[in-house]
Amino acid sequence: MQNFIDMAGYEALNGVLSNDGGPFGAVIVKDGVVIATGHNMVTSTNDPTAHAEIVAIRQACKKLGTFSLKGCTLYSSSEPCPMCFASIHWARLDRVVYANTKEEASKIGFDDMAITDIMCGKIEDNIPFVHQPSDVCKKSFRVWSEKEDKIPY
C-alpha cells in the first residue's frame, strides 16, 4: 500500500514541477496492478474538473473499457474534494486511500469546505439554481425509462 500512495505523491510532484496544476496525484490499482495514474491538470488544460482523481478515473475507465471501477482502489495524495468524492462513488471504486488531509490542503490554499457547507445546507449558495420545467426534458426521461436496450448505471 505504501508503494501506491508514494506513487500518488510522485505523480503530484510531477504535476507541480511541470506546472500542470495543484499538488495532487492519484493512482488506480486493480489486483495489485497499476491501471491508471493522474495529476492535477486544472491550470494547464483550463479545465476545472481536471483534478488528479478525475484524470485517473477517466484513464482507468478508458483502459478497462467500462464505466465501473468495481474491484479497484484509488490512492490519492490528498483527501478527495466533493467533486472527486462524487466521482469516486459514480465510478464504484471499492476503496480510497489518501495521504494529506483536507485540513492540510486548506492550509496551502485548497479549501473546499464552502462547497461542502453549501451541499449540506449549512450556508447559502451564491450561485442561483433555478428550476425551469421543460416538456422536451421530461420527454428525454420518459424515453430513457421506456428504452429496453439501455445500459443502466
Side-chain angles (χ1 to χ4, degrees), residues 3 8 15 21 32 36-37 41 59 64 66 68 73 88 93-94 103 106 111 113 115-116 120 122-123 146-147 149:
N3 184 40
T37 63
M41 299 183 73
Q59 287 181 10
L64 296 175
T66 180
S68 174
T73 297
I88 286 162
L93 284 149
D94 282 5
E103 290 79 17
S106 176
D111 188 357
M113 278 311 297
I115 296 169
T116 301
C120 294
K122 292 181 181 177
I123 61 174
E146 296 168 357
K147 188 172 176 56
D149 63 341

Side-chain angles (χ1 to χ4, degrees), residues 5 8 13 34 37 44 50-51 54 73 80 84 95 97 101 132-133:
I5 200 72
L13 283 170
V34 174
T37 63
S44 63
H51 288 199
I54 305 293
T73 297
C84 293
R95 186 170 164 219
V97 179
T101 66
Q132 179 63 55

Side-chain angles (χ1 to χ4, degrees), residues 37-108:
T37 63
H39 59 260
N40 184 290
M41 299 183 73
V42 169
T43 58
S44 63
T45 61
N46 294 319
D47 178 355
T49 69
H51 288 199
E53 298 90 338
I54 305 293
V55 171
I57 287 169
R58 288 174 180 158
Q59 287 181 10
C61 289
K62 185 174 183 176
K63 182 174 184 175
L64 296 175
T66 180
F67 55 82
S68 174
L69 296 178
K70 197 147 193 62
C72 296
T73 297
L74 181 135
Y75 293 86
S76 180
S77 64
S78 188
E79 190 171 357
C81 75
M83 176 183 67
C84 293
F85 179 89
S87 298
I88 286 162
H89 286 275
W90 277 112
R92 295 172 179 80
L93 284 149
D94 282 5
R95 186 170 164 219
V96 175
V97 179
Y98 63 91
N100 297 315
T101 66
K102 59 185 168 190
E103 290 79 17
E104 291 170 309
S106 176
K107 288 179 184 176
I108 62 164

